[in-house]
Structures are given as C-alpha cells and as structure tokens.
Amino acid sequence: MKWSRKDLLGIQELDGDEINLILDTAESFIEVSTREIKKVPTLRGKTVINLFYEASTRTRTSFEIAGKRLSADTINIAASTSSVVKGETLIDTAKNLEAMNPDLIVIRHSAAGAPHLLAGRLRQPIINAGDGAHEHPTQALLDLMTIRAKKGRIEGLKVAIVGDIAHSRVARSNIFALTKMGATVSVAGPATMLPRDIERLGVAAYSRIDAAIGDADVVMMLRIQTEREKHNIFPSLREYAQRFSLNARNIELARPDCIIMHPGPMNRGVEISPDMADGPRSVILDQVTNGVAVRMALLYLLTGGNES
Amino acid sequence: MKWSRKDLLGIQELDGDEINLILDTAESFIEVSTREIKKVPTLRGKTVINLFYEASTRTRTSFEIAGKRLSADTINIAASTSSVVKGETLIDTAKNLEAMNPDLIVIRHSAAGAPHLLAGRLRQPIINAGDGAHEHPTQALLDLMTIRAKKGRIEGLKVAIVGDIAHSRVARSNIFALTKMGATVSVAGPATMLPRDIERLGVAAYSRIDAAIGDADVVMMLRIQTEREKHNIFPSLREYAQRFSLNARNIELARPDCIIMHPGPMNRGVEISPDMADGPRSVILDQVTNGVAVRMALLYLLTGGNES
Amino acid sequence: MKWSRKDLLGIQELDGDEINLILDTAESFIEVSTREIKKVPTLRGKTVINLFYEASTRTRTSFEIAGKRLSADTINIAASTSSVVKGETLIDTAKNLEAMNPDLIVIRHSAAGAPHLLAGRLRQPIINAGDGAHEHPTQALLDLMTIRAKKGRIEGLKVAIVGDIAHSRVARSNIFALTKMGATVSVAGPATMLPRDIERLGVAAYSRIDAAIGDADVVMMLRIQTEREKHNIFPSLREYAQRFSLNARNIELARPDCIIMHPGPMNRGVEISPDMADGPRSVILDQVTNGVAVRMALLYLLTGGNES
C-alpha cells in the first residue's frame, strides 16, 4: 500500500489500512534508535519546521529527534517568542514559512483547526502536533503502536480512558483510533469532564473509574490540567484523586495482564499513584520511545518516502 | 569580481558592483532551495551564530535555513533569555563567542551601530540583521533581487515607499540601495513619520500616498508599529489606514504592471488591504524566497567562498 | 589509560589521572576548532541533549558547538519554557528523554545534586553543567587546562580565588581540582561570602584581596551576583569593589608573570577593573576557547570514545 494523503491532520479521517501502514512503517524505524549510529540518510537535504504555538518538551523534542535521525534539517520556532507577538496572522506566518521551501511543517496550536487551515493553504505536508481540544493524532498513533506491541493486536481489546475526556485532544484522537481498529472503549470522568453525546463516538461512559476499568486490557489515564481547578470544573484535586486516580486497589478490577498508559506529563498523586506509574504494568516510557518511531514514520511517509 | 569586505554592515557603504555581485551570487543559489536534496556542502564544518537581541521569526529562520542548506552548523542565541540578562556587555558577549571560533556571526540588535561595534572588535565576519532604526541590509538586498527578477532591471524604475520612513531601517537601507542602483525613490507618510532633511537622501517626500505612488513601478509598503499608536505619533490606526493604506483605489495611480512589496509582518487592513497583499501584483512571498538565497550568498561570500 | 566513569558529576570524585586524561584529550581536540573544516565524524549519529533549567549563553553554546564539531545531533531544551512549567518532576522529564534514546544528557539545574539524581536513574551518561552552589566541573576543567597551557604545570602553583566563595560552584569545583593537582589555593571574600570551615577544603582564607593574591601565579576572580545586593549579603557594590576588585594596584602583589582568570560573565568595575580584564595577563578568552575543547573531550570520553 502507498500513502496518499498530503497531511496528517487527525485520526478521524484515517481508515484502518492507513493506520496500519503508519504503524508498520514506525516498527521498521524503531531499530534505528537502538543503533550505535542512530541515523539514516532518508531525509538528507530536507527541511522540517516545528512550529509550536504552545510550550512543549516531549512532543517538540520527539519530532526534532525523529527529524535528525532521518538526517533532515530541523528548524524550531517557538511562536510565543516570535513575530506572532507582532500581530501577524497564522496564515501569513505560515505562507512566509512556505516561501522558504521547507519540506514539511509540524504545528501545535491552541486553536482547534489551525493545522487544517494551514493544510488547505500550503503546498507542504502539515502534521498536527496537537490543536486545541480537537486532535493529537501522533499521540494516538504512538499509543496504538504501544498497545499492538504489548498485546499483539488492537481488535477486541477493552480500553478504558479516564480523566477529563471533554477537554482532551488525546482522548478524542484515541477514541477515534481505537474504535476504528476494533477495540471497545469505555471512558470515565466527573460529569463536567464528560462531553454530552459522548456515546455517539461509540464509547461507554461512566462516572466512576471502577466501572470503566473493569476487565480492561488497557487503562489509559489522562493528565489533569491542575490549572483548571480554580475554574471550579472539579471541586478539588484531592477529591478528584479520591474518585478517579488509578491506584493499587482499583487496578485489580482490570485484567491481570492489563497495561497502564499515560501521555504525560504526569501529575503523580493526582490522576495516577506513583506505584502504578512506575510498576510492571506501566508502558508509559514505551509510549515515549514509540513516539520517536511514529514521528519518523510520518516524516518519511509524508515526504514521499514510500511512493516509489 | 571578488568580494573583499570582511562584514556586511549596511547598504550605505556598498557600491553598485558589490551589490550586483551579491545579487548574482544569490541568483545562483536560488535553485538549491528547489532541489529534491536542498543542500550543498559549501559551508560544511563552518559554524554560523545567529545572535538575536530582538525577537524575530522570519529573519532568524531565513538565516538558519540559509546556513543549513550550505551545510553550516547553525547556533541560535536568543539574547533576551541568555546571560545578557546577567548584565554582561555586548562586547564581552561577542568576544566570548569569538573565542569559540565561529566562522560568522549574524546579529540583530535594537541599538543602531551594534553590528559595527562588533565588526571592529571581532575577527569574524559580521552580518547586520537589523540594528535599531539604522539599517537592515539583507532586507534591502532581497528587495533589490525581487525587483530585478520581476522587472529585469532596477535602473530607471520609480519606487514608492510608504509608511513610517523615519523609524524604519528597512526604508533607510532600501533608499540607499535603490538610489545607488539608479532607481528614483519617492516616499510618503505622516509628517511625524518623515525625517527632516529626507530630501538629502535623494528622494522626493510627500504627505499623501497618492502623490508618491503615481506612475510607480514598485510600491513598497512598510509595517506600521501599531504599538506606537499610544505614543501619539499618529492619531489613530483608522485614520492612518484611511490616509496611507494601499488599496484597490489608489493602486490605480501606479503603473498597471507595478509590483507590490512588504517586508512583513503585515498589519492587514492597516497599511495594506488584503486584496493588495494577496493579489496578482503582490510579490511579498517572492521576497521571502529570495531572502533565503540572499542570505546564502552572503554567508558564502563573507566566509571566502569566491576568493579562489 | 581508559575512561571508566559513566558520568561527569563533579570534580570531587575524580582522581588526578582522570583529570589528566580529560585535559590530554581536550588538548588533542583544540586543533579541530582551528581547522578550515571544524568537524570530525566522531559522534556522527549520536544524540546529545542540553537540558538547561537555568539561562545560559556561554555554557550552552559551548556544549552545542562541541557537540556539532564532533558531528553529534544536538537538542537544546530550555526547561523554563517547557513542560516543566506543567509541574512534571525532574525525574519524569529525564526518564522521558531517556526513552528517546539520546547518547548523553548535559544538565544545568538550580538545585544541587540534580545531575546526581539523574545519573542514578538514567542509563545515559550525564554531564553536570552546573548544579546550584555545588559544582561546575567543566568550568574547573577548562580552568585547569588554561593554567596548564599557560604555566606548563599545575603542581606547585599558587592560585588565589576572590569573591563570593560560599555561593560559587565555580569556586568549589576549582578548589577540588586545584588541590588535587597539587596547587596551593588561597581565597578571599567578605565574611558573609566565606563558608565556615573553608580551611577544611585545604585552602587558606583571607578577608582582604591583598593577602590572598600575594605571590600568586594565578588570580581567579569570581562573578558577583549583583542581584544579591538587596539581600544585604554585602553592604554595597561600591564597597565591595573597593575592597575586593582586582585592579592595577593590587595585581602588583601577585607574581609578575601571573595570569588573570574569570569564568564570566564579568561585572566590569565591580569584581574586576577593565584594564585587568583586557590586559596582557588576562587569559579570560583562552578559558572560553578551552571550554569548547574540554566539552568535546568529555562528550568523546563519556560516549566511549577511548574504550577500544
């Protein structure tokens, strides 16, 4: 199969074959990062721009390492410290970058739809590295890759996602990805953190973590935006932790061979207890390792790597 | 002809032959950015430092891409987040960088003359990437390159520059460059934005845009520093736009085949209307593309590229 | 001799043979930075992460240039603008970086012991680029290298260190390094800037600069943290300068062939007078040049360069 899309904007528009192609390509790249010389010449002479309108360590670093291991020239733009300050529109900034002939642009933006806006206007491939509360497709792909590597399959698994479902682009992209690949998804969170009509996405919603994680093969905890506390979205971090934290007691409700995931950064003691984060079921750091491989795969596919 | 200057500090000291050498060299580099593999080994093993004391997306990115496409190692220093905070003098910072044996230093600084100060003290070539309200020579050179590419020549053209002439390093460098190359320059702006004695630079000054752009081959709009509004340099953005914005009506005063330029970032609806910015006469994005080529040419020439 | 440590955390744990190996290796790298093509393929395909929790120009730039001249891929993380903001623990941040398979991590942190914490938890080599008021080992090594190059030896020299000894990681690392290598160290500073029990480190302590620098072969001035003035650690900058600044008068107390050092950034007119900083005895910029070589040596040794 050949990759045919110009951009990677979200999981919602991908089909299962496309997702499998990305995962298979990523698996072929995982070995590069374990070599003595962690570099292949695939993207030599290509320019990849990381345009980040939100602060990020892990995602930006992951894309930068992915680019460099493919021998691309990587350019980081932290937009908060750039001429965006001067009031230029997003499209004008992007058209300017386009005019410098990069080969691909990775964008993270606080506004849902920003990558789509660019994709429709620029000739270069665009990768969405997170747009508002909309999608974070590379996160979902690295999550799928991790599940597939650990469980041998995705179809038929039961996956529980716990936390602030309503405001999480990670949750949205994962719900799309998991249901497309045949997994059963249940979610749990306080009422203020569950979107109305969540069931329309094909998932079962619960108001208690215990109900969601029963017999789960995969338990995916979401980061709580602790800065939201002051907006009264939930009563208190302590109360949240009491009701929704993953811990040694409630993990017993999941399958004995379940795996524990978290997109990071973690609030230890809030959404996840330290023994769960660091215990034998945790695959949280595998997710990070797979993230580099998924991003290498996408840089490769979107710059035409498997066309010939 | 061989390049013989150590530094590129301003247009004012260049002669026409030097300007033509830069433009010819830049044209030979424009093709590199359109290749499948956008990289030549010219500056392999050279270190280029981008020392930016003012925030910038396009200029810093343009220099960084130019360096990487020549295979240089590029080092970015955003001086506002560096030990400059600790009170070190500019010269001490620069002498420290010199001691690390870079091959060239690009500097942007809010103080006019900062690059000249460094040029006199460091053995490395210095490129002025904008110094206060003094000069922005690489901008003027990419503007000349764009005019020459679109019009086939510079000599004999009529160029109108509109906006805050008094506080614009872009205007100053362009006035020097255009008059040296034989173009006729007229400028327009509010009285508070026109320097006294502006005519001594060999340009005609007008208080209305209509007077300046009559029969112009090139209309160059300047960015309004909207943050100046509160200092009462001009009455209001709305009034400014009414009197000095380029729009579908007043463009009819220029020559039918005129080109529209802007150094960016644009304030759409203030100094330029969107239909002018995006219309068929606009060469604003060509300017950006040519900027990478001009900077490649300067990195090449100043590191001794055409000496042998 | 082979290098056998995983990490470079401080001078305190090194022995003389290890220090000499680093200095000898650094001397072999100094020539690379003077070549036409300043690059060797030693670390091609290796990833070096510069994780800086404190702002820094010279140290970060020095490590970045060192990495690039060895052909490593270098990744800069300015932690103050990263997800550290989101409350992630240092160890979680570091474990995430580890999972991306870098080959070495350089860390600067305001907390003493932060590099040691990481070294015990990560499989990658860690280099301490400054931890609180604890150690700054690469600074001490470049200082030793500079002394050895200028004086031909370290053993038997008299070295005076003047300034805020109590709060300076530079002073601590240099005291460890110099006494290990057989130099005699005297220190001077206001009573509030001398640690109690300073003599236990094997140095002589004085409350006047004149007493410390008598017959010194090396005078090492420390940067005064001028921001401390308001905390009443010393009465005023003017008074400090009068009592502890190195100047044309008190330098006469040192040996005629003494050398003057400063780790930078300098407060000219506070701890050092401009004629001393820029005069013939100053080796301050040699320190910077040697810093790149020392860091190249450490990147080389810690990634296994001299194992075979």
Side-chain angles (χ1 to χ4, degrees), chain B:
Chain B
M1 181 193 171
K2 290 195 200 318
W3 180 261
S4 59
R5 288 181 188 276
K6 172 178 162 280
D7 311 291
L8 184 84
L9 301 177
I11 300 293
Q12 193 166 16
E13 60 262 31
L14 299 184
D15 65 29
D17 286 345
E18 290 174 306
I19 292 173
N20 278 321
L21 174 60
I22 297 168
L23 300 188
D24 293 346
T25 308
E27 277 177 12
S28 74
F29 278 120
I30 199 112
E31 174 264 341
V32 173
S33 291
T34 65
R35 294 184 191 174
E36 187 69 18
I37 295 185
K38 299 173 183 60
K39 213 174 177 80
V40 290
T42 316
L43 294 194
R44 198 171 70 81
K46 306 276 190 198
T47 306
V48 174
I49 294 180
N50 295 316
L51 177 60
F52 275 64
Y53 283 81
E54 291 183 333
S56 162
T57 299
R58 81 194 57 220
T59 305
R60 193 270 294 171
T61 303
S62 183
F63 271 109
E64 185 177 355
I65 288 179
K68 285 177 155 65
R69 290 199 178 145
L70 293 169
S71 301
D73 289 323
T74 57
I75 307 278
N76 295 321
I77 302 178
S80 55
T81 63
S82 77
S83 70
V84 181
V85 176
K86 299 183 187 168
E88 189 179 45
T89 68
L90 171 61
I91 287 176
D92 277 341
T93 299
K95 293 297 282 183
N96 268 278
L97 296 177
E98 176 186 46
M100 297 184 201
N101 288 304
D103 294 89
L104 188 146
I105 296 175
V106 177
I107 179 170
R108 166 168 289 193
H109 201 284
S110 58
H116 310 69
L117 192 65
L118 266 51
R121 302 292 292 269
L122 302 195
R123 62 179 183 275
Q124 286 89 0
I126 305 295
I127 295 180
N128 179 0
D131 63 323
H134 179 235
E135 281 235 35
H136 191 353
T138 61
Q139 178 69 42
L141 289 164
L142 70 89
D143 290 338
L144 286 189
M145 184 180 174
T146 306
I147 295 169
R148 202 173 79 163
K150 294 293 176 187
K151 291 288 167 196
R153 64 192 168 102
I154 297 166
E155 192 169 2
L157 295 181
K158 180 174 175 194
V159 182
I161 308 178
V162 181
D164 186 356
I165 309 295
H167 305 93
S168 169
R169 56 196 179 202
V170 174
R172 272 179 63 86
S173 287
N174 264 298
I175 289 170
F176 292 136
L178 290 162
T179 53
K180 273 175 205 281
M181 302 307 282
T184 302
V185 178
S186 58
V187 303
T192 52
M193 293 182 177
L194 289 177
R196 300 166 191 239
D197 299 334
I198 174 75
E199 288 84 1
R200 288 177 54 190
L201 296 178
V203 310
Y206 300 95
S207 59
R208 295 174 52 246
I209 185 171
D210 291 11
I213 69 176
D215 293 319
D217 299 283
V218 177
V219 179
M220 188 181 290
M221 304 306 296
L222 300 177
R223 168 184 176 71
I224 281 296
Q225 312 277 322
T226 54
E227 58 274 24
R228 291 182 188 277
E229 188 179 10
K230 59 179 170 295
H231 298 113
N232 297 315
I233 289 175
F234 54 97
S236 75
L237 284 180
R238 195 163 61 88
E239 185 172 346
Y240 180 86
Q242 282 171 351
R243 289 178 56 206
F244 292 100
S245 182
L246 186 69
N247 56 42
R249 182 192 55 74
N250 55 32
I251 193 66
E252 295 301 326
L253 300 170
R255 287 179 52 96
D257 62 348
C258 78
I259 57 174
I260 298 171
M261 306 180 79
H262 192 294
M266 287 187 279
N267 297 300
R268 289 167 172 273
V270 181
E271 71 264 7
I272 190 166
S273 69
D275 54 331
M276 292 298 100
D278 303 324
R281 294 186 186 94
S282 170
V283 299
I284 294 171
L285 295 173
D286 298 276
Q287 293 172 266
V288 178
T289 300
N290 292 333
V292 175
V294 157
R295 284 152 188 145
M296 289 173 79
L298 290 167
L299 294 179
Y300 170 78
L301 292 172
L302 291 173
T303 56
N306 81 332
E307 279 175 2
S308 61

Side-chain angles (χ1 to χ4, degrees), chain C residues 109-124:
Chain C
H109 200 287
S110 59
H116 310 68
L117 192 65
L118 265 53
R121 303 291 292 270
L122 303 195
R123 62 179 182 275
Q124 285 88 359

Side-chain angles (χ1 to χ4, degrees), chain A:
Chain A
M1 181 191 171
K2 289 197 200 316
W3 181 261
S4 58
R5 288 181 187 276
K6 171 176 162 283
D7 311 291
L8 183 84
L9 301 177
I11 300 294
Q12 194 167 16
E13 60 262 32
L14 299 183
D15 65 29
D17 286 344
E18 290 174 305
I19 291 173
N20 278 321
L21 174 61
I22 297 168
L23 301 187
D24 293 346
T25 307
E27 278 177 11
S28 74
F29 277 121
I30 199 113
E31 175 263 340
V32 173
S33 291
T34 66
R35 292 183 192 175
E36 188 69 18
I37 294 184
K38 301 174 181 61
K39 212 172 176 83
V40 290
T42 316
L43 294 194
R44 199 171 69 81
K46 307 277 190 197
T47 306
V48 173
I49 294 180
N50 295 317
L51 177 61
F52 275 65
Y53 284 81
E54 292 183 333
S56 163
T57 299
R58 80 195 59 223
T59 305
R60 193 269 295 171
T61 302
S62 182
F63 270 109
E64 185 177 355
I65 288 178
K68 285 178 155 62
R69 291 200 177 144
L70 294 169
S71 301
D73 289 323
T74 57
I75 307 278
N76 293 321
I77 301 177
S80 54
T81 63
S82 78
S83 70
V84 181
V85 177
K86 299 184 187 167
E88 189 180 44
T89 67
L90 171 62
I91 287 175
D92 277 340
T93 298
K95 294 296 282 182
N96 267 278
L97 296 178
E98 176 186 46
M100 296 185 203
N101 288 305
D103 294 90
L104 188 145
I105 296 176
V106 177
I107 180 171
R108 166 168 289 192
H109 201 286
S110 59
H116 310 69
L117 191 66
L118 264 52
R121 302 292 291 270
L122 303 196
R123 62 180 183 276
Q124 285 90 359
I126 306 294
I127 295 180
N128 179 0
D131 64 322
H134 180 234
E135 281 236 35
H136 191 353
T138 61
Q139 178 70 42
L141 289 164
L142 71 88
D143 290 338
L144 287 189
M145 183 180 175
T146 306
I147 295 170
R148 202 173 80 164
K150 294 293 175 184
K151 290 288 168 195
R153 66 192 167 101
I154 297 166
E155 193 170 3
L157 296 181
K158 180 173 175 193
V159 181
I161 307 178
V162 181
D164 186 355
I165 310 295
H167 304 96
S168 169
R169 56 196 178 202
V170 174
R172 274 180 60 87
S173 287
N174 264 298
I175 289 169
F176 292 136
L178 290 162
T179 54
K180 274 175 205 279
M181 302 306 282
T184 302
V185 178
S186 57
V187 303
T192 52
M193 293 183 176
L194 290 177
R196 300 165 192 241
D197 300 334
I198 175 74
E199 287 85 0
R200 289 176 54 191
L201 296 178
V203 309
Y206 301 95
S207 59
R208 296 175 52 247
I209 185 172
D210 291 10
I213 68 175
D215 292 320
D217 299 283
V218 177
V219 179
M220 187 181 290
M221 304 307 296
L222 300 177
R223 169 184 175 73
I224 280 297
Q225 312 277 323
T226 53
E227 58 274 24
R228 290 182 187 277
E229 188 178 12
K230 59 178 170 296
H231 298 114
N232 298 317
I233 290 175
F234 54 98
S236 76
L237 284 180
R238 195 163 61 89
E239 186 172 347
Y240 180 86
Q242 282 171 351
R243 289 178 56 207
F244 293 100
S245 182
L246 186 69
N247 56 42
R249 182 193 56 74
N250 56 32
I251 194 64
E252 296 301 325
L253 300 169
R255 288 178 52 96
D257 61 349
C258 78
I259 58 174
I260 297 171
M261 306 180 79
H262 192 295
M266 288 188 279
N267 296 299
R268 289 166 173 271
V270 181
E271 72 263 7
I272 189 166
S273 68
D275 54 330
M276 292 297 101
D278 304 324
R281 295 185 184 94
S282 171
V283 298
I284 293 171
L285 295 173
D286 298 275
Q287 292 172 266
V288 178
T289 300
N290 291 333
V292 175
V294 156
R295 285 157 186 140
M296 289 174 80
L298 290 166
L299 295 178
Y300 170 78
L301 292 171
L302 291 173
T303 55
N306 81 332
E307 278 175 2
S308 61

Side-chain angles (χ1 to χ4, degrees), chain C residues 169-230:
Chain C
R169 56 198 179 201
V170 174
R172 272 179 63 86
S173 287
N174 264 299
I175 290 170
F176 292 136
L178 290 163
T179 53
K180 274 175 204 282
M181 303 307 281
T184 302
V185 179
S186 58
V187 303
T192 52
M193 294 183 175
L194 289 177
R196 301 167 192 237
D197 300 334
I198 175 74
E199 286 85 0
R200 288 177 54 192
L201 296 178
V203 310
Y206 301 94
S207 58
R208 297 174 52 246
I209 184 172
D210 291 10
I213 69 176
D215 292 320
D217 299 284
V218 177
V219 179
M220 188 181 290
M221 303 307 295
L222 300 178
R223 170 185 174 71
I224 281 298
Q225 312 277 323
T226 53
E227 58 275 23
R228 291 182 188 276
E229 189 179 11
K230 60 179 169 293

